[in-house]
Amino acid sequence: MGADTADDAGVFRLSDDLALIQTVDFFTPIVNDPYLFGQIAAANALSDVWAMGGRPITALNICCFPVKEMDTGVFKQILAGGMDKVHEAGCALAGGHSVEDPELKYGLSVTGVVHPEKLVTNAGLKPGQVLVLTKPLGTGVIATALKAGLASPGALGASIEVMTALNAPAGEAMAACGVSGATDITGFGLLGHALEMATASGVGLEIQAPAVPILAEARDMAAMGLVPVGSHANLEHCSDRISVQGEADPILLDLLADAQTSGGMLMGIDQSRMPSAVEMLEERGVIAAVIGRARAENPGRLTVRF
Ligand code: CO
Ligand code: CO
């Protein structure tokens, strides 16, 4: 499986009962604390393996460090944060590579495994399935507020908690419920990633905007215009494939398109399996927000209801 359906990772079948999942993600710091940045980068990189229905087995560090200008303690803390999350995931850190770079960047290449028949993809949504989201949105807006010096400690703390949380419990629950269509919400925002799934699965997705969980204070910050450039670009890119019903709330629409880091899982669950799936997610400490539904009508399009 390659890049044609915009899936979260590449998948290579090794045998009838084993496929390899490979993914890589790295970026510049979005928080000031190096240990937390390491944790966020690792949680984000590992996530794509769970999004494909697999489990991570090994990871490699990718580091671009301004070695001449920065204290080496910073790098050590970033790597410690990354390693702690890799180990929390039950995954082995197998090494890595670092280069000198004027702009600090960190991330990981992660390898996972999955049974080929249990692969979860963007193309696996079916009409009638309920859409469940497992983390609130707004981390992009809060990161922008932080850069502007306008993020409150409370908002920042809540955002960091969301971004450092592994998607492992959501991935385990997905596997246990036989989910076939899912993705994690990252740079393209909920709307962008939902559209990728709608296109790949040949279904129309209906999203109930007021049901989408949003981080506290993110709304106020978005109302102040603290929306990342990428989030506006997301909305613009999607707008011709989105029908809005009811009176659109432009601030909420910005948040639905907000570029996320280490965001939650968006999955399609059969109506009959909903009670057990919600229970499974909640007993693992994961929110299970019901935000919409997949339909046969309007394939490749989103309907956002206000
Ligand atoms: Co992804
Ligand atoms: Co990715």
Side-chain angles (χ1 to χ4, degrees):
M1 169 171 268
D4 39 313
T5 51
D7 265 296
D8 295 288
V11 183
F12 187 81
R13 187 197 293 261
L14 292 173
S15 66
D16 285 348
D17 58 1
L18 187 67
L20 213 54
I21 301 174
Q22 292 179 296
T23 178
V24 57
D25 266 297
F26 63 103
F27 44 73
T28 55
I30 48 161
V31 292
N32 296 323
D33 182 306
Y35 178 72
L36 290 174
F37 170 54
Q39 287 199 329
I40 292 166
N44 180 73
L46 289 156
S47 175
D48 281 329
V49 173
W50 292 304
M52 303 298 293
R55 77 185 161 82
I57 52 169
T58 60
L60 297 167
N61 281 324
I62 295 161
C63 325
C64 305
F65 287 157
V67 259
K68 292 197 184 101
E69 291 108 77
M70 225 178 248
D71 184 81
T72 52
V74 173
F75 312 142
K76 283 185 189 148
Q77 283 187 61
I78 291 172
L79 295 178
M83 188 171 70
D84 283 355
K85 280 291 156 184
V86 166
H87 288 165
E88 185 186 327
C91 178
L93 190 64
H97 185 72
S98 47
V99 293
E100 193 184 337
D101 190 313
E103 191 171 26
L104 198 161
K105 302 172 196 83
Y106 171 66
L108 301 103
S109 162
V110 183
T111 298
V113 286
V114 66
H115 190 293
E117 277 150 33
K118 303 222 165 112
L119 193 60
V120 176
T121 68
N122 274 347
L125 285 183
K126 305 210 169 56
Q129 284 181 332
V130 177
L131 296 177
V132 170
L133 179 67
T134 66
K135 285 184 183 180
L137 305 180
T139 60
V141 164
I142 291 174
T144 304
L146 176 67
K147 280 184 196 142
L150 292 166
S152 75
L156 185 61
S159 175
I160 286 169
E161 198 177 311
V162 162
M163 293 187 291
T164 54
L166 293 181
N167 276 331
E172 285 162 22
M174 276 182 4
C177 308
V179 166
S180 59
T183 191
D184 58 349
I185 305 303
T186 52
F188 297 133
L190 172 68
L191 296 182
H193 289 285
L195 260 177
E196 285 179 342
M197 292 188 82
T199 305
S201 300
V203 297
L205 299 184
E206 208 178 273
I207 292 172
Q208 305 287 344
V212 177
I214 307 285
L215 280 165
E217 296 182 50
R219 197 192 153 85
D220 298 340
M221 293 170 187
M224 289 166 68
L226 296 165
V227 177
V229 179
S231 304
H232 277 146
N234 286 341
L235 193 54
E236 208 155 292
H237 181 71
C238 298
S239 57
D240 58 333
R241 287 168 292 159
I242 296 177
S243 316
V244 169
Q245 297 213 337
E247 200 177 326
D249 170 351
I251 294 163
L252 185 49
L253 210 47
D254 277 346
L255 286 159
L256 298 187
D258 188 34
Q260 303 298 284
T261 299
S262 189
M265 212 72 89
L266 175 66
M267 60 183 92
I269 297 174
D270 292 346
Q271 182 74 58
S272 61
R273 285 190 154 158
M274 270 302 285
S276 61
V278 169
E279 196 184 304
M280 243 180 256
L281 285 163
E282 286 178 347
E283 74 191 10
R284 286 170 168 82
V286 178
I287 63 161
V290 175
I291 63 156
R293 190 177 281 277
R295 297 205 182 280
E297 299 86 52
N298 303 317
R301 294 186 61 90
L302 299 187
T303 305
V304 182
R305 285 186 200 278
F306 285 90

